Amino acid sequence: MQTARVLKEDVSIEVQTSNKDGLKRSLKSRHLTMISLGGTIGTGLFLASGGAIHSAGPGGAILSYLVIGVMVYFLMQSLAEMGAYMPVAGSFSTYATKFVDPSLGFALGWNYWYNWAITIAAELAAVTMIMKFWFPHTPSIIWSGIFLVIMFLLNYLSVKGFGEAEYWFSLVKVVTVVIFIITGTLMIFGIMGDEAVGFKNFTIGDAPFHGGFMTMLGIFMAAGFSFQGTELLGVAAGETDDPKKAIPRAVKQVFWRILLFYVLAILVIGLLIPYTNGNLANGDVTVSPFTLVFQKAGIAFAASVMNAVILTAVLSAGNSGMYASTRMLWDLAREGKAPKFLGKLNKNGVPVNALIATTLVGTLAFLASFFGDGTVYVWLLNASGMSGFIAWLGIAICHYRFRRAYVAQGKDLNLLPFKSKFFPFGPIFAFAVCGFVVLGQNYSAFTGDHIDWNGVMVSYIGLPLFLILWLGYKFTKKTKVIPLDKCDLNN
């Protein structure tokens, strides 16, 4: 049935529409769903999930991912309500400007652009390590250059080209996870493999929970990083052909798929591989938990297959990152919060100058990894790591203010294209969990005999950078929090 719907959608006569800002509305619901999946199903699942099980046990890892998953569900509901009502490329940066304070919109926009621009650099660095699996003696710069050109061209040609590429990249990952879950389930019950493993690994040692609450806190952060990318839906809203229908539909599909993929995959790994297995804590693709399970099933070329899948995941993340950061930078320029020349669109509706600027910044950040033992690069990555959680905090704040302003201005909630079911609990819960994770980034730096100031700076550098952007713009432009009855709800 799903295939029929996709085929019907593809053969329909396409009318190339543009929104009022000149962006082409070429993304369909299936693109939106896969774009959001592509931002989340990646190395966090294929590699980091093993470390989570090793640290907290299978039960601790599943519980951590469930809590963060529920929080992300509330955030997606919030973003869907605002995105369906007001579909703009600036997403929560624009919402903060309209519903909270222009200074917060400025800070959120630049914070998000920086987050994904540095992510591009991280993905380029990952590509070089992955390709050395097959070509150990090839210079790293060659592979990073090739993949940078591919990502640039996919974004330069058209938004539809980007959407199609992301659809197929994400489909590879989804199929891999589905095959993994099916294979693992057959092995658990003895239909494949040497013996029925059953549930014995859930009771080995002090499983299913291991390491206590502080260990769980660390897994909360790892789970949060894994789920980052779901908010890409909001950024893509401005180029969706029917946002009022496509965004709510994509939100409903994405959350359950992500949650099921993560929870079921971690359950399968936890049942088949004891949490005491040291290989789970190894970030090398050759011993990723997926590779270990496939090898246990007797698939001899598992490492090569998973290396190819992880390469697809990295290319997908870089592709999405370039798209998101380019659109955010373009929107900042359009609103006068970035240099005006970055707001130019080419004939295909692509913000070409913003794309070039983002590509250059990502390239420079990547090149920084070759100098000074990569110290600058590590600091850039750590600052970027905090940025995703700050963006989520911004979404929660924006939705809370949007709904209150909507009611204060006498509008009918029943007229919203999509209404979040959990207001005000949803955004408040999401804000509290995100705040807890942000403040707990490196709690161990404060728990020793002496405060580890270097550890504090490395872990929390993203927070003062955001505050400098926010307060600097606020004091320079003398902006104020917008009264609820004055919030701009024109869509």
Side-chain angles (χ1 to χ4, degrees), residues 462-477:
L463 204 52
L465 288 176
F466 175 78
L467 292 174
I468 288 170
L469 285 170
W470 182 12
L471 299 177
Y473 191 88
K474 187 172 186 66
F475 291 134
T476 303
K477 301 293 185 179

Side-chain angles (χ1 to χ4, degrees), residues 11 47 67 88 108 173 191 225-226 345 384 394 438 487:
V11 299
L47 297 177
V67 171
V88 289
L108 283 174
K173 294 183 287 186
I191 301 172
F225 288 125
S226 297
L345 297 172
S384 173
V438 165
C487 290

